[in-house]
């Protein structure tokens, strides 16, 4: 069964304090790994898609990386507006388009 | 594009009542997904349509839940009768190409059953 585990559940950072969020996955035939950001009261917002081990994507202070077992979302010099829940999800070859989500990491960045 | 549009944004209903949630996907997207989000279980896929045809409804909790997609621009999720344990945020999402390129989510419907 495809599974996604995110850690930590919650993370508090000071503004400017860089850190990483982890997403471990087990999936048969990874077709894509996705990172989403979710603000309170809103739907998840797409950030990145990674398709193969070794791939990296960047957007402003965020950088996503992928290995055969896990993905990291690196946050460099975060600002308070980066506070949100970050969700990781995978699509496997046996799931025909279904995104399987992790429980998320709730990030709080204090000024 | 206005994105994925869901209505209503909030719904409070009494146990036993019928509830209908509505979704308008992004024009041109051929896949539509209904998810439910709770603190305990996170985001769970309920049902998935491709080209208006239900592909996978294995996540629909029980017969009280039903979903339809009569055309490419509209879908409904119905709960009849509703129960307090159905209280959650229900999201609709759409995509092109079966989800491999990611989904675009709507803002969700927060359902409270009292």
């Amino acid at each position: 069964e495809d599974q996604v585990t995110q850690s930590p559940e919650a993370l508090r950072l000071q503004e400017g304090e860089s850190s990483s969020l982890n997403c471990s996955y087990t999936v048969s035939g990874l077709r894509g790994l996705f990172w989403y950001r979710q603000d309170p009261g809103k739907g998840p917002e797409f950030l990145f898609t990674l398709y193969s081990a070794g791939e990296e994507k960047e957007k402003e202070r965020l950088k996503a990386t992928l290995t055969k077992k896990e993905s990291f979302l690196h946050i460099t010099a975060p600002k308070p507006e980066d506070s949100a829940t970050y969700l990781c999800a995978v699509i496997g070859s046996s799931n025909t388009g279904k995104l399987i989500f992790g429980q998320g990491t709730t990030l709080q960045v204090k000024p | 594009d206005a994105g994925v549009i869901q209505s209503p944004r909030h719904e409070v209903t009494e146990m036993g009542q019928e509830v209908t949630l509505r979704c308008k996907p992004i024009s041109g997207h051929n896949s539509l997904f209904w998810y439910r989000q709770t603190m305990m279980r996170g985001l769970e896929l309920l049902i998935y349509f491709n080209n208006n045809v239900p592909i996978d409804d294995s996540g629909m909790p029980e017969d009280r839940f039903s979903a339809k997609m009569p055309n490419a621009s509209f879908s409904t999720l119905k709960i009849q009768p509703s129960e307090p344990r159905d209280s959650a945020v229900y999201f609709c999402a759409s995509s092109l190409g079966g989800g491999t390129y990611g989904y675009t989510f709507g803002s969700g419907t927060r359902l409270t059953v009292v």
Side-chain angles (χ1 to χ4, degrees), chain B residues 50-61:
Chain B
N50 199 40
N51 295 321
N52 312 337
V53 176
I55 301 299
D56 184 346
D57 65 354
S58 60
M60 296 286 262

Side-chain angles (χ1 to χ4, degrees), chain A residues 63-78:
Chain A
K63 179 180 177 180
T65 62
L66 180 65
T67 72
K68 288 187 178 179
K69 293 183 179 180
E70 58 191 350
S71 176
F72 291 94
L73 185 65
H74 306 279
I75 304 177
T76 302

Side-chain angles (χ1 to χ4, degrees), chain A residues 31 36 38 91 96-99, chain B residues 35 37 45 48 98-100 103:
Chain A
R31 291 173 57 195
Y36 282 82
Q38 186 174 23
I91 287 182
T96 333
K98 277 167 57 169
L99 273 181
Chain B
Y35 276 81
Q37 188 174 41
L45 179 68
Y48 155 37
T100 307
Y103 305 168

